[in-house]
Amino acid sequence: MKRAPEVAVIQDLSGFGRCSATIALPVLAAMGNRCETLLTAYLSAHTAYPSSDRAVFLDLTDEMTRCSDHWAQLGASFEAIYSGFLGSERQIDVLRAFIARFRRPNTLVLVDPVMGDHGKPYSTYTPALCQRMGALAEQADIITPNLTEAALLLEEPYEAVPSGEAGMAAWLERLSLGGRRSVVITGVSLSDGEVGAGCWDRETGRVSFSQARQEPAHFPGTGDLFASVLLGSLLKGAPLPQSMERAVSFVQTCAAATLELGTPILDGVQFEPLLHLLMD
């Protein structure tokens, strides 16, 4: 039996609702990885739920540096560094320092530039945090923005999101920073009734697309699910287009199964009973 690849998962923990760490940890574990978790924030519930004066948002920026120092003392080494939801603008510099400290020649750095959806930033994301996300994404080997985040990174209006393959391919190449990083844009729909993703692969310089049936609901946390399956597949040695296709297929399968169960949309997709599909 091979040693499990170690992944630094840098995410928030939402106590209620499936997203971020509560998705990344079980998915990556099911795909054969050991996860070390660096929390950026604790939320009583993810941000898609209605706001409340009882909601908890605990910014863990100061503790992140202390954790990083402790991990260095423990001799931590990672096959991958995977970042998602951030709790404050200050965390950009904390994560850049973390990557510089722990990156090795074989370390894959995946930045999911979580900022917003449906053309709008998330409620906890300030304009300054969105603006500086590009500086963190510059450190990545691969980024996984949705359409809103791709527009923000390119400083384009959301209304300018391309609708066809040629336009989306141009955006993918622009986001690659001249070929220095791979890019996967999620939420790409090339025809009615289908949705998926498009990628630009720095290893081949090629653009690929993957589509699946579009389910009649938008679940929170599917971006986290997609990025986690994508990373797990890459760590198994699969090429980027194949990894993207697997992530698109798994998200669609989970969405369809959840709709059949009829559970609340805001709770997210019920991926847990389907984790066995990732255990090859």
Side-chain angles (χ1 to χ4, degrees):
M1 183 171 65
K2 290 198 311 181
R3 180 183 69 86
E6 294 196 39
V7 182
V9 177
I10 307 171
Q11 300 263 12
D12 76 287
L13 176 61
S14 289
F16 200 88
R18 297 175 179 87
C19 72
S20 303
T22 57
I23 289 178
L25 299 181
V27 166
L28 287 168
M31 299 183 79
N33 303 284
R34 172 182 169 181
C35 297
E36 320 293 358
T37 311
L38 182 62
L39 292 181
T40 60
Y42 174 78
L43 288 73
S44 52
H46 65 59
T47 57
Y49 285 107
S51 59
S52 166
D53 59 358
R54 295 177 181 269
V56 174
F57 184 96
L58 180 61
D59 180 351
L60 297 175
T61 304
D62 294 335
E63 285 69 25
M64 290 174 67
T65 298
R66 294 175 58 201
C67 288
S68 177
D69 291 342
H70 190 197
W71 286 9
Q73 290 179 351
L74 294 173
S77 179
F78 305 107
E79 276 73 28
I81 298 172
Y82 168 26
S83 73
F85 182 94
L86 304 186
S88 71
E89 179 190 351
R90 291 169 53 209
Q91 291 182 1
I92 296 291
D93 289 332
V94 173
L95 287 190
R96 293 179 72 188
F98 183 95
I99 292 169
R101 186 179 210 172
F102 290 104
R103 185 180 225 156
R104 302 290 181 265
N106 66 333
T107 303
L108 176 65
V109 177
L110 188 155
V111 172
D112 186 4
V114 177
M115 291 184 281
D117 206 353
H118 304 297
K120 297 179 180 179
Y122 294 127
S123 59
T124 58
Y125 269 56
T126 65
L129 177 52
C130 289
Q131 187 175 27
R132 294 210 58 217
M133 183 62 78
L136 175 62
E138 286 178 1
Q139 309 300 308
D141 297 305
I142 179 170
I143 62 172
T144 57
N146 61 28
L147 295 173
T148 299
E149 293 151 356
L152 287 168
L153 289 171
L154 291 172
E155 298 183 343
E156 295 277 7
Y158 183 68
E159 294 72 25
V161 170
S163 58
E165 285 193 22
M168 191 56 64
W171 270 35
L172 286 161
E173 291 190 34
R174 286 174 62 190
L175 285 167
S176 75
L177 299 181
R180 299 204 306 272
R181 67 184 179 197
S182 294
V183 180
V184 182
I185 298 179
T186 61
V188 174
S189 178
L190 299 178
S191 61
D192 292 341
E194 291 190 323
V195 69
C199 73
W200 190 91
D201 187 353
R202 71 175 183 180
E203 300 299 324
T204 63
R206 293 179 179 176
V207 171
S208 303
F209 294 95
S210 178
Q211 299 281 278
R213 186 179 70 248
Q214 186 168 16
E215 302 300 332
H218 183 86
F219 293 94
T222 51
D224 301 316
L225 183 60
F226 178 94
S228 300
V229 175
L230 180 84
L231 177 58
S233 183
L234 291 171
L235 289 172
K236 287 178 177 291
L240 181 59
Q242 180 182 329
S243 298
M244 174 182 67
E245 186 170 350
R246 186 173 196 186
V248 166
S249 176
F250 188 72
V251 170
Q252 187 275 327
T253 298
C254 293
T258 304
L259 284 173
E260 187 175 345
L261 288 169
T263 53
I265 299 297
L266 285 179
D267 290 353
V269 292
Q270 295 205 32
F271 66 91
E272 298 91 344
L274 299 170
L275 284 173
H276 66 280
L277 299 177
L278 302 175
M279 297 179 184
D280 56 25

